[in-house]
């Protein structure tokens, strides 16, 4: 392939997909292993992170949830999204060495995913918490528990909303 | 900021018992997403923090986001260490605080 064509590829329009495709093509031309073009293709196919994904990442980082007893109790159908009661609890001895540090509650499709974060100490005696949240429409509610040993637990429930909250 | 909060504790409690505490405060919890009749954005105004301590030690803390309903209600637990007094504090976006002190009847 002539040198000119490579230049055209690199200086092509600056849409992300084009640049990635160009990079992949250039890598191919230069005889760079096909691995880098695979990576470029993967990057192009990856959808943008949602507000919820970002909020979850802020809590968990890159950690994966472990198995454990985290209970998120919330109605399957909410007639009024303005006030949906819920409770969250983790089975934990709540001792100085083994306790629940925090519980986070998120709504996957609200304009702002944050609902509340609760923090506990061994003096709390229990990590049970109950409150009420808003849901703009049918979506999942996610509870994340942060344990004193650094592990995370996660529970997810779908709530059908008849009348949305969060709005006018 | 808001009216007097409602607090519910058991009438009596024993040392070592795990008791339930319920609190509710009247507040609009304006999300900042809504528009008024004239189409202007209604500024966010929520209670963003709550804390509960007993006998000077913190037992529970909440950070509230716009996804929490108006008139935020919170239910949580405590292991009774002995006689003492609760202190509950609510803080809004303007930094205004409401604090309530309630004695627990330990028998």
């Amino acid at each position: 392939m002539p040198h000119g064509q490579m230049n055209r590829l690199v200086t092509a329009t600056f849409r992300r997909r084009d640049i990635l495709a160009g990079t992949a093509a250039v890598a191919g031309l230069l005889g760079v292993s096909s691995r880098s073009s695979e990576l470029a293709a993967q990057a192009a196919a990856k959808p943008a992170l949602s507000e919820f994904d970002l909020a979850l990442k802020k809590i968990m980082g890159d950690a994966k949830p472990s198995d454990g007893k985290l209970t998120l109790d919330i109605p399957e159908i909410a007639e009024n999204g303005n006030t949906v009661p819920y409770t969250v609890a983790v089975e934990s001895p709540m001792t100085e060495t083994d306790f629940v540090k925090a519980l986070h509650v998120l709504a996957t499709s609200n304009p702002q995913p944050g609902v509340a974060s609760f923090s506990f100490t061994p003096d709390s005696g229990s990590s049970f918490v109950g409150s009420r949240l808003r849901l703009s429409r049918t979506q999942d509610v996610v509870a994340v528990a942060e344990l004193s040993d650094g592990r995370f637990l996660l529970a997810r429930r779908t709530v059908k909303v008849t009348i949305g909250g969060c709005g006018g | 900021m808001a009216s007097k909060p409602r607090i519910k504790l058991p009438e009596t409690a024993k040392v070592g018992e795990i008791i339930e505490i319920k609190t509710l405060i009247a507040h609009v919890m304006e999300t900042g997403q809504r528009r008024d009749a004239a189409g202007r954005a209604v500024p966010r105004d929520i209670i963003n923090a709550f804390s509960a301590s007993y006998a000077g030690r913190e037992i529970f803390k909440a950070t509230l986001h716009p996804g929490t309903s108006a008139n935020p209600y919170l239910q949580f637990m405590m292991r009774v260490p002995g006689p003492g007094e609760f202190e509950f504090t609510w803080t809004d976006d303007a930094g205004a605080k409401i604090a309530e002190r309630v004695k627990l009847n330990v028998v």
Side-chain angles (χ1 to χ4, degrees), chain B residues 24-104:
Chain B
L24 188 142
I25 191 163
H27 196 280
V28 57
M29 296 293 278
E30 190 60 60
T31 61
Q33 300 281 322
R34 247 163 30 92
R35 292 186 175 274
D36 64 13
R40 289 180 299 255
V42 181
R44 181 183 131 146
D45 175 21
I46 69 169
I47 288 185
N48 59 50
F50 169 81
S51 75
S53 60
Y54 183 78
R57 291 183 66 148
E58 184 176 276
I59 51 154
F60 176 77
K61 204 166 73 176
T63 304
L64 305 181
H65 302 293
T68 291
S69 302
N71 307 325
Y73 162 82
L74 291 167
Q75 184 185 353
F76 51 95
M77 316 284 263
M78 181 189 78
R79 187 183 287 130
V80 179
E85 194 178 51
F86 282 101
E87 183 168 3
F88 303 109
T89 310
W90 291 259
T91 309
D92 74 5
D93 279 344
K97 286 180 197 295
I98 286 192
E100 281 285 317
R101 301 180 77 92
V102 192
K103 224 174 155 157
L104 181 67

Side-chain angles (χ1 to χ4, degrees), chain A residues 62-143:
Chain A
D62 293 321
K64 293 271 174 289
S66 313
D67 289 332
K69 290 257 178 182
L70 167 63
T71 314
L72 166 61
D73 199 358
I74 190 161
E76 275 177 35
I77 297 172
E79 280 179 17
N80 182 353
N82 276 309
T83 174
V84 186
Y86 68 91
T87 65
V88 189
V90 185
E91 245 178 49
S92 163
M94 297 300 277
T95 59
E96 292 289 336
T97 51
D98 182 4
F99 66 100
V100 180
K101 275 167 71 179
L103 288 175
H104 307 271
V105 181
L106 302 165
T108 51
S109 302
N110 272 357
Q112 297 165 97
V115 171
S117 293
F118 307 103
S119 55
F120 306 91
T121 70
D123 292 338
S124 307
S126 161
S127 64
F128 174 91
V129 66
S131 185
R132 297 168 186 156
L133 56 79
R134 290 175 165 134
L135 294 175
S136 59
R137 57 187 169 92
T138 296
Q139 59 185 288
D140 286 0
V141 173
V142 171

